[in-house]
Amino acid sequence: MTTAAEAQRPPRRDWRAALAVYRHPRVIGMLFLGFAAGLPLLLTGGTFTAWLRDLGVELASIGFLSWVGMAYSIKVFWAPIVDRMPLPFLTRIFGRRRAWMLAAQATIMLGLFGIAFTDPTEQLWLVAVWAVLTAFGAATQDIAIDAYRIEAVSQERQGAMAAAYVFGYRVALLTAGAGALHIAAAGSWSLSYATMAALMLVGVICTLIVREPEVARRDSATARLEDRVVHYLNNTSDTGWWRGLKAWFIGAVICPFVEFWQRFGKTALVVIAFIAVFRISDIFMGVMANPFYLDIGFTKDEIANIAAAFGLAMTLTGAALGGLLVVRFGIMRMLIATAILAPLTNLTFSWLATLGPETYGLVFAIMADNLSGGMAISVFIAYLSSLTNSAYTATQYALFSSIMTLPGQFLAGFTGVLAEHIGWFWFFASSALIGIPTILLALALMRCANPDHMPQPGRPAATESPARD
C-alpha cells in the first residue's frame, strides 16, 4: 500500500529523463537571468574600487564607498514590498515578478550609465549616488528573480534552475571583472561601464520573453491566516490610511514569518539552524584560501590559472551535476550528501599543506572542493526554494538567504587569528570539524522536515504539463 508520504514524493527519473531538465525553456532562461543578476555585483564592488583607485581617488573615500554593497545584505527589509506591491502599468502588463525585474533592470542600467558618464575626481558624491542606485536596483532584481525562479517550475526542477542561475551568474562575474578591466585598458573606464550597462539588455530581453509564473496566491492555511488579520482589523477603531497601512504591514511583513512558523511548528528551529550552518565550513576556509596558496609557495600565475580559472570550471560543473542529481534522487538525499562532502573536501587542503607547492596537489584540492561546492550551491538553493510559500515567496526567500551567510561571514573574521595560532594543516582540519553540526541537522531534517515529502503550496506540481511552461 502506498503511504501518504510516498504519494507526495516526486517520481524518480532515469538518467536520460533527468538530463532532459536542462532543455526546459525556463531553465534555459534562467541562464540569462543569472547573468543579469551577477553583472552588477563587481561593478559596485571590486571593479568599482579598481576604477576609483586608478583615477586617484583617496583610499578613505574608496573604503566608505564600499558600503554601497550592503544593499545585498539588507534586501530583506524591502522584499515584502516586491512581494506584495504592484507597480503602476507594469504589473498589469507583465505580471508581478516580471514587472519588478524590468523596473530593477532599468534602475541598474540607469545607475551604470550614470557612473560611466560622471568623473569621480570632480563629482565623487554623484558617483556615490549612482552606485547606491545601481546596488539598490541589483538587490531588488535579486529578490524578484529568486521569487520567479521558485515559482516558475516544480520542486524537482529547482536544482536545475539553481545550476543555470549559478552558471549565468559566474559568467557575469567574469565579464564584470576581467572583461570590464580589459575594456578599460583598451579604451576607457567610461566605455567599460557603458558597455556593462548595455549588457544588462540580456536580462531585459529574457524578462520580456519568459512567461509570468502561474501560482496560487493563497492556499487554505494562508487564507485562514489573512482572514484573521481581516477579523482583527474589523474589531479595531482604526480608520483611513492608518488602517490600510497596518493591514498591508501585517499581511506583507508579519504573515510570511507567522506562516512559516505555523507550517513547521517547533521544527522551524531545526530548519533555521540548518540554514545558518550549512555554508559555514565553506565560508570559513574560503576567506583564507588565497593567503594559504601564497604562504606554501604557489605563484600568482598558478593561483590565477588553477584556483581561479580551473576552479570556476569545476564550480560550474558541480552546479550542473547538483541540478541533475536533484532530479534523479530528490533534494533530501543530495542535501545530506553535500553536507558530508563540503567539510570532507576541506581536508584535501590539510593534505596540500603537508605536500607543499605541488601543482598536482593544488589541482586535486581545487577539483574536489569546487565540485562539491558547486553541487552544494545548487542543492541548497533548491532546498531553500522548497521552504517558501508562493504567497510570500520573495519575503521568505530573502530571509533564508540572509540567514544563510551571516554566521559564516561573522566567524570568517576570526580565521586569520586561528590560522596563525594552529597552522594551516589544523586550520583546514578545524574547518572540516565545524561541518559536523550541519550533517547532524541534515539527518534530523530527513526525519522531521523532508522537502521531498512536503506539499508545495501554490506552486506547479511534479506532474505539471509541459504546455504550461
Side-chain angles (χ1 to χ4, degrees):
M1 177 179 286
T2 302
T3 65
E6 289 170 339
Q8 292 173 355
R9 184 181 303 160
R12 179 181 290 189
R13 304 292 187 89
D14 60 32
W15 288 108
R16 182 177 297 178
L19 281 168
V21 73
Y22 287 110
R23 297 200 301 269
H24 191 284
R26 286 183 172 173
V27 174
I28 295 171
M30 191 50 60
L31 282 168
F32 302 102
L33 292 178
F35 181 87
L39 195 68
L41 181 64
L42 290 181
L43 298 176
T44 55
T47 302
F48 183 58
T49 56
W51 171 52
L52 294 176
R53 190 55 181 165
D54 188 48
L55 296 182
V57 176
E58 295 178 354
L59 290 176
S61 298
I62 294 175
F64 288 129
L65 284 171
S66 70
W67 284 347
V68 301
M70 291 177 64
Y72 292 94
S73 301
I74 62 174
K75 63 185 179 183
V76 67
F77 291 112
W78 66 89
I81 297 174
V82 178
D83 225 355
R84 301 293 287 262
M85 183 176 290
L87 291 172
F89 304 111
L90 289 178
T91 299
R92 180 168 52 84
I93 298 171
F94 299 105
R96 59 174 179 151
R97 299 309 182 201
R98 294 166 68 214
W100 276 101
M101 285 157 61
L102 286 170
Q105 289 157 357
T107 302
I108 295 167
M109 292 180 69
L110 176 63
L112 292 177
F113 275 122
I115 293 173
F117 299 109
T118 304
D119 186 351
T121 61
E122 300 290 336
Q123 293 178 298
L124 187 59
W125 67 272
L126 186 55
V127 169
V129 170
W130 291 125
V132 168
L133 185 67
T134 303
F136 174 76
T140 303
Q141 180 186 229
D142 281 358
I143 297 169
I145 289 179
D146 285 336
Y148 168 83
R149 174 178 49 76
I150 295 168
E151 295 172 353
V153 299
S154 60
Q155 178 174 299
E156 65 174 357
R157 289 172 174 160
Q158 289 298 329
M161 292 286 274
Y165 178 86
V166 170
F167 191 98
Y169 200 97
R170 296 282 179 155
V171 171
L173 292 182
L174 193 62
T175 303
L181 290 172
H182 282 306
I183 294 173
S188 67
W189 281 106
S190 291
L191 176 62
S192 179
Y193 266 80
T195 303
M196 296 299 114
L199 284 176
M200 279 301 299
L201 287 172
V202 170
V204 173
I205 294 170
C206 183
T207 303
L208 292 173
I209 292 174
V210 298
R211 291 179 57 188
E212 180 74 7
E214 297 177 11
V215 296
R217 292 297 307 274
R218 282 159 57 99
D219 57 16
S220 58
T222 304
R224 287 194 300 271
L225 182 63
E226 297 193 0
D227 286 344
R228 288 169 59 187
V229 175
V230 173
H231 177 74
Y232 162 75
L233 292 169
N234 287 336
N235 288 276
T236 65
S237 57
D238 297 328
T239 59
W241 67 270
W242 175 246
R243 186 177 188 277
L245 179 62
K246 183 184 288 188
W248 181 89
F249 181 81
I250 295 174
V253 180
I254 304 299
C255 284
F257 304 111
V258 173
E259 187 277 335
F260 174 73
W261 287 102
Q262 285 186 344
R263 183 154 37 103
F264 286 94
K266 293 180 180 179
T267 305
L269 295 174
V270 181
V271 173
I272 293 295
F274 178 73
I275 294 171
V277 303
F278 185 82
R279 294 204 62 214
I280 280 183
S281 185
D282 277 344
I283 296 174
F284 192 81
M285 64 82 63
V287 174
M288 287 292 115
N290 282 337
F292 164 67
Y293 302 144
L294 292 169
D295 275 6
I296 65 172
F298 286 107
T299 67
K300 295 182 180 65
D301 286 339
E302 288 174 318
I303 296 171
N305 293 333
I306 301 174
F310 178 68
L312 174 62
M314 289 298 99
T315 298
L316 296 179
T317 302
L321 183 60
L324 174 66
L325 293 174
V326 165
V327 176
R328 182 69 176 84
F329 297 111
I331 294 175
M332 195 66 241
R333 290 182 180 181
M334 294 313 304
L335 203 61
I336 294 173
T338 52
I340 295 171
L341 281 174
L344 194 63
T345 53
N346 285 4
L347 295 176
T348 60
F349 291 91
S350 291
W351 168 70
L352 184 59
T354 64
L355 185 66
E358 296 289 344
T359 302
Y360 73 88
L362 181 60
V363 168
F364 180 79
I366 291 298
M367 182 172 62
D369 183 63
N370 287 41
L371 271 174
S372 67
M375 288 172 58
I377 291 171
S378 290
V379 175
F380 195 50
I381 290 176
Y383 171 67
L384 294 183
S385 303
S386 76
L387 298 177
T388 64
N389 185 306
S390 63
Y392 311 115
T393 310
T395 304
Q396 290 179 340
Y397 191 87
L399 172 68
F400 299 148
S401 60
S402 296
I403 295 172
M404 173 180 67
T405 56
L406 283 176
Q409 288 174 339
F410 173 75
L411 289 177
F414 302 100
T415 54
V417 175
L418 183 64
E420 286 180 350
H421 279 78
I422 64 176
W424 288 118
F425 178 91
W426 290 109
F427 171 78
F428 290 109
S430 67
S431 75
L433 288 175
I434 63 173
I436 292 177
T438 305
I439 300 171
L440 297 177
L441 287 168
L443 293 172
L445 287 177
M446 189 173 190
R447 295 177 60 86
C448 61
N450 189 326
D452 295 321
H453 297 169
M454 295 186 299
Q456 301 301 303
R459 294 206 291 279
T463 55
E464 64 189 351
S465 169
R468 293 183 61 186
D469 298 334

